[in-house]
Amino acid sequence: MLSRVAPWLASRNETGLGVRVLGSADTLALRALASEDPVANVFILAHLDSVGTAAPTSGGASVFGVFDDDTLLGACWAGANLVPVQLDPNLTGYVATAAHQSGRRYASIFGPAETVLALYSRFEQLGHFAHEVRSRQPLLTISGGPAIEANPLLTFGTMADFERILPACAAMFEEEVGYSPFLGGQDFYSRRVAGLIRQGHSLVHIDATGTVVFKAELGAVTPDVTQVQGVWMNPEMRGHHQSAGYMAAVVNLSRTFAPVTSLYVNDYNAKARATYERVGFEQVGTFATVLF
C-alpha cells in the first residue's frame, strides 16, 4: 500500500503545506488535534484508545495528515470510510488527492458537514460520485441522565444472543442505506457485530419469544463520550410510543462508559428527532454523510 502512495507522501507546495500518512511518532499530535472537539472526533479518539498509535493498521487503514512544515493542521481517517478530524474545508483538496492516489475505495465520508461536503466536492472532481448525499444531520448530545423514564428491559447483548442480533443489525443497515451489508460476503459485517457484542457495546431487548424488539450500538466509546449508532425498533413494534423509553435506557447504559452520550440523525427523520428531544438530547453541531 505505501509504495502506491509514495509519490505524494512528502509533497509540499509553495506555501509549505503538504500531506502524508501519519506514523506512530504523530500519535500525540493527532490526539491533541482530535481532543479539540471530543464529541465530533469520538471515532478517531476511540481508535487511538484502542490501538494506541496513529500508524497504519494491519488491515491497511491509515490517517492522512495535512501539515504546515511540522505542524499538524488537520487529519482524515482513511479506512473503509473517510472521517475528517479538525480538517478545515480549505484543506480538503490535499486529503482528496491523497485518498484518490491511494487507490482505495471508500464506502462513505462522514463528519462535520462543512468539511465533508467540501471534501466530497473535491472528490467529485476526481471522478468519485456519490450514491447519496445526506447534507444535514444534527449532531446531538446529552450529559447526565435522560429526561424521561427509561425502559428497564434494555440490556447489554451477549454472544448467546448473536444469532438474533445479527439479522436485526442487517435489517437496520439495509433500511438505512438501501442495500444489504452482506453483499460482499457475510464475514466482515458479522465480525463487526460480534466485536461490538464482546466489547459490551451492543444494547438490545429480546422478548420471551426470542424476537429483537429494539437494539442500538455504541459505535465509538471514549472515557468522555459515547456515540450511539444503529438505533432500530422492530417494524412490528413501531407506532406504540416505546422508542423514547428505549432511548432513555440507551443513555443510562451509555453512562456506564462516559458522561456524554452523542449521536447524529438525518434532518428529515422528524419522528426520531422528536424522540431524541423528549429524552433530552440537544444539538451541538451538524454532520453530513456521503454514501458511495
Side-chain angles (χ1 to χ4, degrees):
M1 177 66 73
L2 289 179
S3 62
R4 298 178 65 187
V5 300
W8 51 262
L9 281 178
S11 64
R12 285 283 188 272
N13 66 14
E14 63 277 5
T15 67
L17 296 178
V19 62
R20 63 173 172 82
V21 171
L22 301 187
S24 58
D26 301 303
T27 302
L28 291 179
L30 178 61
R31 182 179 290 279
L33 184 75
S35 296
E36 293 176 9
D37 190 338
V39 172
N41 299 317
V42 63
F43 174 87
I44 193 65
L45 287 169
H47 170 73
L48 291 176
D49 285 347
S50 175
V51 303
T53 178
T57 70
S58 58
S62 58
V63 182
F64 300 127
V66 180
F67 287 82
D68 182 357
D69 292 328
D70 294 328
T71 302
L72 181 62
L73 301 179
C76 186
W77 167 263
N81 311 290
L82 290 170
V83 187
V85 180
Q86 298 300 102
L87 183 65
D88 188 286
N90 293 320
L91 299 177
T92 54
Y94 294 95
V95 169
T97 300
H100 172 71
Q101 292 183 348
S102 75
R104 192 181 185 104
R105 297 185 65 181
Y106 303 99
S108 74
I109 311 170
F110 67 86
E114 187 178 3
T115 297
V116 166
L117 297 176
L119 180 56
Y120 174 59
S121 176
R122 287 150 179 80
F123 227 49
E124 201 173 28
Q125 294 168 8
L126 294 167
H128 303 273
F129 300 100
H131 164 70
E132 184 179 355
V133 177
R134 300 177 181 181
S135 59
R136 292 189 58 82
Q137 298 175 302
L139 176 63
L140 312 176
T141 64
I142 181 171
S143 301
I148 63 170
E149 184 177 354
N151 188 325
L153 297 176
L154 191 72
T155 188
F156 293 106
T158 69
M159 285 305 296
D161 305 319
F162 174 75
E163 296 298 334
R164 295 183 175 91
I165 293 173
L166 179 62
C169 290
M172 178 283 306
F173 185 99
E174 187 165 358
E175 186 176 338
E176 179 68 16
V177 302
Y179 59 86
S180 170
F182 300 145
L183 278 181
Q186 189 168 327
D187 286 351
F188 178 81
Y189 189 73
S190 297
R191 287 197 302 271
R192 168 66 176 163
V193 172
L196 289 167
I197 295 172
R198 291 191 180 98
Q199 290 174 300
H201 295 171
S202 170
L203 314 177
V204 66
H205 170 210
I206 300 174
D207 68 15
T209 70
T211 300
V212 174
V213 178
F214 176 95
K215 69 95 190 169
E217 288 81 46
L218 305 181
V221 176
T222 73
D224 301 307
V225 183
T226 60
Q227 185 178 87
V228 179
Q229 298 175 354
V231 176
W232 183 81
M233 174 73 76
N234 191 310
E236 296 183 3
M237 283 76 173
R238 294 175 188 176
H240 300 291
H241 309 289
Q242 299 182 75
S243 296
Y246 280 115
M247 282 306 304
V250 168
V251 172
N252 283 341
L253 294 176
S254 298
R255 291 179 66 206
T256 64
F257 295 96
V260 177
T261 307
S262 72
L263 57 83
Y264 57 98
V265 58
N266 295 316
D267 64 337
Y268 53 78
N269 194 341
K271 289 185 178 179
R273 293 182 65 182
T275 294
Y276 300 144
E277 184 175 349
R278 280 190 61 201
V279 174
F281 283 89
E282 297 181 347
Q283 185 170 355
V284 296
T286 303
F287 266 26
T289 299
V290 175
L291 300 170
F292 292 104

